[in-house]
Amino acid sequence: MIGDTPIQPVVMMAQLLKSAGHRIIIATGRPRKYNNITLQFLRDNDIPYDAAYLRTDKDYRPDTVVKENMLRKMKINGYDPTIAFDDRKSVVEMWRANGLFVFQVDEGNFYIEISKFEDDNEPLDVYTISSRGCTCPAAWRRKTCKHTRMAKFWTSNLNSETGVVLGLNENNDPYKISNIF
């Protein structure tokens, strides 16, 4: 979140809703290991909140599944959300399917997930790249990271007719890759 820019109309809505007596609940796909950074970001940007739900560390399920589980936990904890603000189209659809009125705050259709694996095929880290940037810690420290550069390369080399994307191997030679979207 370092270097991330809050969407000011959403910040204003959170402030207005809070001042009108509503409770603000944050549901983010960021892992709990970034809890302190996330909460500091909210405080630094005057974003009010009553509770914050983060995904558990090493939870690599899609955001739709993680946030739907968060919604169940919110209800168990006595919250009854009626409105959601989100940017990812699939998550917006999930909130709506669960009866919430949703404000889609960004286009949210361009996402690439990159996973780093070891030999046991267990993902070590999963980073999501959107039009707003990457979720990796390196991107929080600076404007761009290697994941964002890779995603830009991949999307610029996508053949829309065949769906084939060219990637780069360790020698920077192009080769066909698949299943990146």
Side-chain angles (χ1 to χ4, degrees):
M1 295 184 88
I2 297 171
D4 200 3
T5 305
I7 302 170
Q8 286 307 314
V10 177
V11 173
M12 181 185 69
M13 286 302 300
Q15 292 167 343
L16 288 170
L17 288 167
K18 184 66 179 167
S19 68
H22 296 275
R23 294 188 289 185
I24 308 299
I25 306 163
I26 306 295
T28 177
R30 290 178 177 84
R32 282 195 189 133
K33 65 183 176 182
Y34 300 118
N35 183 64
N36 292 339
I37 293 171
T38 301
L39 298 181
Q40 188 61 50
F41 175 86
L42 295 171
R43 287 188 294 272
D44 290 348
N45 289 284
D46 297 320
I47 302 170
Y49 66 94
D50 295 282
Y53 291 79
L54 286 80
R55 87 169 55 222
T56 57
D57 293 335
K58 300 192 183 218
D59 181 350
Y60 305 106
R61 297 173 299 163
D63 281 354
T64 52
V65 175
V66 171
K67 289 187 177 183
E68 190 167 33
N69 190 44
M70 289 176 184
L71 179 60
R72 280 192 288 277
K73 288 179 183 177
M74 289 174 204
K75 290 180 178 185
I76 289 170
N77 293 335
Y79 297 108
D80 186 25
T82 56
I83 299 172
F85 294 80
D86 217 304
D87 58 356
R88 184 175 289 196
K89 186 176 186 234
S90 59
V91 177
V92 166
E93 291 168 357
M94 179 279 299
W95 292 128
R96 288 181 177 147
N98 280 282
L100 277 72
F101 185 85
V102 184
F103 292 90
Q104 187 168 356
V105 300
D106 201 355
E107 189 170 324
N109 290 328
F110 171 66
Y111 287 90
I112 299 172
E113 287 194 348
I114 297 177
S115 299
K116 179 179 176 184
F117 291 89
E118 282 199 354
D119 293 336
D120 63 0
N121 291 327
E122 178 72 22
L124 297 173
D125 291 300
V126 177
Y127 304 125
T128 303
I129 303 165
S130 73
S131 57
R132 296 186 70 209
C134 182
T135 61
C136 79
W140 299 348
R141 292 189 297 272
R142 54 187 179 274
K143 298 267 182 203
T144 186
C145 66
K146 65 182 177 182
H147 311 112
T148 304
R149 291 190 299 273
M150 285 190 304
K152 286 179 182 176
F153 176 83
W154 288 338
T155 55
S156 67
N157 288 285
L158 170 67
N159 182 321
S160 58
E161 291 178 17
T162 65
V164 171
V165 180
L166 290 178
L168 296 175
N169 64 18
E170 61 275 3
N171 298 321
N172 288 328
D173 297 323
Y175 68 100
K176 291 180 185 179
I177 56 176
S178 61
N179 298 326
I180 65 161
F181 297 105

